[in-house]
């Protein structure tokens, strides 16, 4: 009986949001990351916490090294993008919350622990933009 | 070419252009021909944070000294800026519509806000701080903020 070839885990796009606390835009980045990984494209994405990369967590580093990454930065320090790159990952697209907000002026984010309605809408809009990138990456992989 | 007074406070470096006059909140005014260009000082833009949107009074608006000339929305705050001079807005920087981050990137250059045809620049200039006076004020403010 021939050996069964083990199925390989399909590659998933890694989503790495900002880990900044006490800032509205950091919260928007994380809400968008939850939205994309839990609701919009759960089958095609996985969330990796920036703090794990900072700590040098092996599984987190392995995930970004083996998969394309989309980063969502809350400010121009761009910690998520820099950390993925330093961890050996390939950033296929980096999003800055402020740039996205400029495209959706009607969704004004406020709040830190809890976002207002504008912030939640902005997070959803950002998640949709990330989804478009994920679809492109997936299309490239499967096509 | 513009020269600057410069100081370091904590990890920040602040520049004050020596060819401008300043109101107390940090809006600069620079005479250019028969117009006066206005904008945010380096200290004001750094303290306010990354600019998301800048809304200027439209061209043709007549302003008195101290009237609101712009509202800036940043990632931290909304600030209403008062005009450092009286006159008529003759041009709004087109970059404010599409790329207001110019305020952060080049506050004394590409990030200017508007050009105003001044009613009486020579007289009103005396109400403003010269670069040295603003530099001293700004430095004291910056040092106070670091202590907080």
């Amino acid at each position: 009986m021939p050996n069964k070839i083990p199925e390989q885990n399909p590659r998933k796009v890694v989503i790495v949001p900002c880990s900044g606390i006490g800032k509205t835009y950091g919260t928007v980045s994380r809400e968008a990351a939850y939205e994309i990984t839990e609701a919009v494209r759960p089958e095609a994405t996985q969330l990796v916490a920036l703090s794990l990369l900072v700590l040098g967590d092996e599984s987190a580093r392995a995930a970004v090294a083996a998969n394309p990454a989309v980063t969502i930065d809350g400010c121009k320090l761009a910690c998520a993008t820099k950390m993925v790159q330093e961890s050996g990952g390939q950033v296929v697209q980096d999003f800055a919350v402020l740039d996205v907000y400029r495209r959706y002026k009607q969704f004004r984010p406020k709040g830190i622990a809890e976002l207002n309605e504008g912030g939640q809408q902005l997070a959803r809009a950002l998640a949709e933009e990330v989804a478009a990138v994920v679809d492109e990456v997936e299309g490239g992989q499967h096509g | 070419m513009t020269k600057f007074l410069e100081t370091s406070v904590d990890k920040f470096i602040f520049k004050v252009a020596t060819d401008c006059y300043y109101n107390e909140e940090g809006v600069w005014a620079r005479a250019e021909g028969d117009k006066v260009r206005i904008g945010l000082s380096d200290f004001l833009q750094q303290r306010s944070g990354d600019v998301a949107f800048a809304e200027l009074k439209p061209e043709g608006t007549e302003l008195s000294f101290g009237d609101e000339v712009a509202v800036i929305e940043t990632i931290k705050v909304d600030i209403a800026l008062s005009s450092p001079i009286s006159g008529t807005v003759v041009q709004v920087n087109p970059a404010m519509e599409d790329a207001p981050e110019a305020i952060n990137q080049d506050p004394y250059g590409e990030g200017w806000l508007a050009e105003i045809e001044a009613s009486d620049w020579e007289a009103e200039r005396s109400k403003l701080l010269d670069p040295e006076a603003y530099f001293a004020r700004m430095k004291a403010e910056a040092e106070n903020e670091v202590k907080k």
Side-chain angles (χ1 to χ4, degrees), chain A residues 1-139:
Chain A
M1 186 175 173
N3 287 338
K4 190 177 176 186
I5 298 171
E7 273 185 34
Q8 287 191 329
N9 286 332
R11 293 211 310 168
K12 286 189 170 188
V13 177
V14 167
I15 309 295
V16 185
C18 161
S19 69
I21 55 171
K23 305 283 186 204
T24 301
Y25 286 43
T27 306
V28 171
S29 76
R30 287 187 291 281
E31 286 294 330
Y34 300 144
E35 184 76 10
I36 185 79
T37 56
E38 294 174 7
V40 181
R41 293 290 185 278
E43 72 293 341
T45 58
Q46 59 177 315
L47 182 66
V48 169
L50 175 56
S51 53
L52 290 179
L53 293 176
V54 174
L55 283 171
D57 178 85
E58 280 184 24
S59 62
R61 289 178 67 93
V64 299
N67 298 284
V70 173
T71 55
I72 309 173
D73 284 302
C75 76
K76 62 186 173 189
L77 292 176
C79 300
T81 300
K82 288 176 186 166
M83 205 58 229
V84 167
Q85 289 167 339
E86 285 189 18
S87 302
Q90 184 208 355
V91 178
V92 292
Q93 179 82 49
D94 55 324
F95 286 90
V97 175
L98 179 57
D99 290 341
V100 178
Y101 174 39
R102 287 193 181 118
R103 294 195 282 276
Y104 300 94
K105 189 178 179 180
Q106 70 275 27
F107 301 150
R108 183 169 187 189
K110 286 200 170 183
I112 295 169
E114 278 187 38
L115 289 173
N116 66 346
E117 181 60 25
Q120 291 170 23
Q121 287 178 305
L122 181 61
R124 285 194 286 272
L126 174 48
E128 290 298 332
E129 292 201 7
V130 175
V133 173
V134 170
D135 292 346
E136 217 172 283
V137 171
E138 291 286 289

